[in-house]
């Protein structure tokens, strides 16, 4: 009896071994792929290098291990409709319902459900989403294998889509043979904008996860203003409005870099020159050539620029206005860029919705910051009484080490500011400390010459004078008073109205 049982058990073990060999691949390939709603922020990149994101803002549990995830609120420009969509969501939608059995429910703009089977094996099919006229998109898992996800090997399910009619026959559709890729440990490695499905086939590929510090991460000020001695930056700017206009060219060259504390701030000494031509006949030319000190405190920048924490298309209304936030990769020789258009949206009382801001006396500003290049573009636009006022400044050339990009404004400062032109100018130079100005600052004039009857003037970026005074000594206290926050130009002129020096001033 003992030998019989041993033999029987041996046969059973052989049978089970064979059975396991047969079913083990199926078992492995059927494991859960449920890291879709991981903590932190997940970034996805479009074919034109713009970013969308998913951030798990809140989690609600219900039933037997069922969970609902909510992402951040967005403001979307859908189908050119004047009224913007403020109830949608990120690239994966505003709400994701995860069932205890591994099914995920996403929701598009029509609030129709999009189904994902995270536990399916190769050959598994299901209704992915509805189409008009009782048609639907069918999803099928066509393969499961290893792929590189954020530079790391991981198991990935490839899901193919096919449109079918109400009798389950294949029909033409823009999503036919389009593929979704679901990574076992990192969620979607390739997906479409859920909110716009099934009408938009733009592919978004996984490019970063903050919870794992993989791939693209939110830009920090330390990365944006990260310069080295020898770095060179060239800018062009212009302004127009109120019958006046002008333009300028600037060159910055980093001479030295000093870090302070536990790398909590940095100070750069730069050679700086600027040639500004202001409209009129003949035009007025202002030349500046100086050594300047620029210091950045990272904690202070974070406190003063909460907008930098916003994600693409995030909706944060305030006093009837909302900003537009966006992020891109692969700009300026492959760098990451983050931008904001301040006051881009306004609430329309007549339409009872949020829309593009298009007029009135409130300006909107555009800021773009790029990794290792600082503020790469700035613009200001306002329409007061139908008279447009516009100003902008853009990085047009840089040199960092052996890397160069763009077209220089000049080969050097002594070429940008010709010697023969400088000889007819006064050698007075103007400085303002502190700059940015919060309440007041001290204006100091080098090589002060009372015989020229110098005049100090501060103008806004579209040419209007906000401060004007004659100068009797080499120092003057400037009180900000009720001057609005913004970008300004401080000038010193002699009694003939010839520009002697100018400097950019920021009022916070």
């Amino acid at each position: 009896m003992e030998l019989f049982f041993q033999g029987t058990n041996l046969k059973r073990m052989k049978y089970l071994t064979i059975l396991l060999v047969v079913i083990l691949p199926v078992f492995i390939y059927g494991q859960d792929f449920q890291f879709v709603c991981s903590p932190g922020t997940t970034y996805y990149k479009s074919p034109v290098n713009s970013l969308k994101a998913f951030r798990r803002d809140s989690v609600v549990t219900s039933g037997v291990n069922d969970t609902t995830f909510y992402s951040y609120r967005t403001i979307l420009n859908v189908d050119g409709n004047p009224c913007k969509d403020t109830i949608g969501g990120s690239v994966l939608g505003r709400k994701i319902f995860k069932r205890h059995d591994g099914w995920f429910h996403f929701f598009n703009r029509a609030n129709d459900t999009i189904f994902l089977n995270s536990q399916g094996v190769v050959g598994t099919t299901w209704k992915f989403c509805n189409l008009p006229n009782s048609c639907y998109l069918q999803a099928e898992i066509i393969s499961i294998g290893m792929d590189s996800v954020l530079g790391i090997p991981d198991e990935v399910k490839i899901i193919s889509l096919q449109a079918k009619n109400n009798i389950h026959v294949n029909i033409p559709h823009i999503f036919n043979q389009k593929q979704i890729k679901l990574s076992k440990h990192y969620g979607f490695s390739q997906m479409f904008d859920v909110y716009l499905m099934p009408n938009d086939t733009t592919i978004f590929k996984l490019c970063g996860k903050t919870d794992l510090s993989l791939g693209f991460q939110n830009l920090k000020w330390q990365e944006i203003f990260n310069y080295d001695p020898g770095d060179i930056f060239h800018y062009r700017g212009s302004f127009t409005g109120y019958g006046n206009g002008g333009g300028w060219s600037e060159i910055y060259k980093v001479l030295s870099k000093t870090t302070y504390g536990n790398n909590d701030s940095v100070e750069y000494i730069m050679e700086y020159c600027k040639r500004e031509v202001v409209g009129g006949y003949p035009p007025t030319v202002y030349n500046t050539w100086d050594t300047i000190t620029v210091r950045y405190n990272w904690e202070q920048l974070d406190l003063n620029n909460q907008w930098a924490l916003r994600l693409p298309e995030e909706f944060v209304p305030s006093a009837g206005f909302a900003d537009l936030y966006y992020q891109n990769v692969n700009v300026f020789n492959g760098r990451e860029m983050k931008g904001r258009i301040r006051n881009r949206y306004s609430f329309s009382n007549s339409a009872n919705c949020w829309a593009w801001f298009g007029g009135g006396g409130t300006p909107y500003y555009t800021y773009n910051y790029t990794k290792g290049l600082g503020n790469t573009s700035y613009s200001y636009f306002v329409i007061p009484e139908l008279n447009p006022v516009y100003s902008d400044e853009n990085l047009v050339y840089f040199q960092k080490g052996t890397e160069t990009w763009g077209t220089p404004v000049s080969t050097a400062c002594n070429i940008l500011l010709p010697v023969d032109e400088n000889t007819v100018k006064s050698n007075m130079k103007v400085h303002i400390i502190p700059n940015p100005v919060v309440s007041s600052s001290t204006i100091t004039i080098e090589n002060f010459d009372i015989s020229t009857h110098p005049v100090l003037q501060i103008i806004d970026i579209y040419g209007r004078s906000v401060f004007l005074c004659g100068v009797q000594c080499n120092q003057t206290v400037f009180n900000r008073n009720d001057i609005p926050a913004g970008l300004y130009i401080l000038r010193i002129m002699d009694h003939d109205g010839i520009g002697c020096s100018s400097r950019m001033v920021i009022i916070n």
Side-chain angles (χ1 to χ4, degrees), residues 417-480:
L417 311 179
V419 174
D420 59 344
E421 184 179 76
N422 287 335
T423 58
V424 301
K425 307 296 182 185
S426 165
N427 62 353
M428 288 188 290
K429 294 181 180 179
V430 63
H431 305 273
I432 182 167
I433 299 175
N435 184 16
V437 181
V438 177
S439 58
S440 65
S441 292
T442 299
I443 298 172
T444 303
I445 302 172
E446 285 185 28
N447 305 313
F448 177 76
D449 184 359
I450 190 64
S451 67
T452 64
H453 305 290
V455 174
L456 276 172
Q457 183 184 35
I458 296 179
I459 64 169
D460 59 23
I461 56 178
Y462 45 89
R464 295 184 301 186
S465 178
V466 299
F467 179 84
L468 182 68
C469 73
V471 186
Q472 302 300 318
C473 61
N474 70 327
Q475 282 195 339
T476 299
V477 175
F478 164 64
N479 292 308
R480 179 252 185 96

Side-chain angles (χ1 to χ4, degrees), residues 172-217:
H173 194 271
I174 59 173
F175 267 97
N176 283 348
Q177 283 72 60
K178 299 295 183 183
Q179 293 182 347
I180 294 168
K181 295 183 179 181
L182 180 62
S183 164
K184 182 174 182 179
H185 295 101
Y186 307 106
F188 290 112
S189 59
Q190 178 173 300
M191 188 52 172
F192 304 94
D193 190 328
V194 166
Y195 195 63
L196 299 179
M197 289 190 74
N199 301 309
D200 189 291
T201 60
T202 302
I203 294 174
F204 287 88
K205 294 187 176 182
L206 179 67
C207 66
K209 291 186 79 72
T210 63
D211 58 317
L212 301 173
S213 296
L214 293 174
F216 180 88
Q217 306 288 298

